[in-house]
Amino acid sequence: MSDAVTRVLIADDQEMVRTGFRLILEAQPGIEVVGEAADGARCVELARRLRPDVCLVDVRMPRLDGLEVTRRLAGPDVAEPLRVVVVTTFDQDDYLYGALRGGAVGFLLKDAGPALLVEAVRAAARGDGLVSPAVTLRLLRNLDHGSTGDTPPVPLSERESEVVRLVAHGRTNQEIAAELHISLSTVKTHLTSVQLKLDARNRVEIAAWAWRTGRMRDG
């Protein structure tokens, strides 16, 4: 498993951005860029044919925008969804909500830096989600602002609740392990259990649930 290569597709209408991302990612061990697309329709075509582990998708592209690309590749009606990380210059709420509701597992601003780009790809490949720290708290506080009705109670253990609160604050698995003085594998076990209990697809949905239900104030 440690020798597995993460295969990445890059979609952006700017050639310089695609080249920059490729250079950053391919300088990392275990990451291979398997394709590039300059527009949304081409991205969907390549993604369905190549089945990459992670798709990096810009929001503003010709033919199909990144939000529509995300819905087609990772939306709730997709039989075999791909892992999409939306990368954009524009820190706008409608892009954030549209991307995550469309099934994206991550949302990254282009000025976040190379390290966070690599971390987002690795997180997505693991099935985790990553949102740029600059927008995490605002996003999670408002992600389900339109929800109505009561949320049924979910029985979480004390440790699971602690993990959920830290996820909702944007902590990585490694940071959660260090803060709670538990192993990384234990964090992952708790997250798997929480996902099953909440019927959540990823950690972003776990975090949204925590904000929506007031779990951030527990303890």
Side-chain angles (χ1 to χ4, degrees):
M1 185 71 177
S2 59
D3 296 329
V5 173
T6 298
R7 301 166 66 253
V8 180
L9 172 66
I10 300 170
D12 194 292
D13 62 343
Q14 297 183 51
E15 184 177 0
M16 286 183 63
V17 172
R18 298 196 307 273
T19 300
F21 284 179
R22 176 187 282 273
L23 290 173
I24 291 168
L25 294 175
E26 292 200 328
Q28 302 297 316
I31 297 180
E32 176 188 1
V33 176
V34 295
E36 295 182 19
D39 65 73
R42 178 65 171 161
C43 175
V44 172
E45 175 192 341
L46 282 178
R48 288 174 174 170
R49 176 160 58 86
L50 298 175
R51 303 294 301 178
D53 299 302
V54 180
C55 301
L56 289 177
V57 177
D58 187 23
V59 171
R60 295 186 178 181
M61 293 188 293
R63 300 177 70 192
L64 290 177
D65 68 34
L67 301 185
E68 180 60 27
V69 168
T70 301
R71 284 190 290 271
R72 294 191 185 192
L73 297 180
D77 298 327
V78 178
E80 296 181 5
L82 292 169
R83 291 164 179 166
V84 175
V85 176
V86 171
V87 188
T88 182
T89 305
F90 306 98
D91 180 5
Q92 297 179 200
D93 284 353
D94 55 340
Y95 288 165
L96 288 165
Y97 307 147
L100 295 175
R101 285 176 176 147
V105 297
F107 188 96
L108 202 62
L109 298 180
K110 287 183 180 177
D111 63 2
L116 205 58
L117 176 67
V118 173
E119 185 179 350
V121 167
R122 295 199 187 282
R126 294 192 303 265
D128 293 338
L130 187 149
V131 177
S132 283
V135 297
T136 297
L137 294 185
R138 191 186 78 244
L139 164 68
L140 295 175
R141 284 175 177 140
N142 294 285
L143 185 60
D144 288 280
H145 66 282
S147 298
T148 58
D150 295 329
T151 302
V154 178
L156 299 182
S157 70
E158 182 177 350
R159 184 63 91 187
E160 286 171 347
S161 294
E162 291 174 336
V163 169
V164 165
R165 284 197 297 274
L166 293 175
V167 166
H169 279 299
R171 304 287 201 278
T172 65
N173 286 357
Q174 290 83 356
E175 289 169 339
I176 293 171
E179 188 159 338
L180 297 181
H181 305 289
I182 57 180
S183 69
L184 188 59
S185 62
T186 300
V187 173
K188 293 177 180 179
T189 297
H190 286 315
L191 282 174
T192 298
S193 174
V194 169
Q195 280 186 239
L196 289 172
K197 290 180 179 181
L198 301 182
D199 192 25
R201 291 186 300 174
N202 51 54
R203 67 198 295 117
V204 176
E205 291 187 358
I206 291 174
W209 175 87
W211 286 103
R212 187 172 67 249
T213 60
R215 285 278 175 161
M216 301 304 300
R217 298 186 294 273
D218 287 355

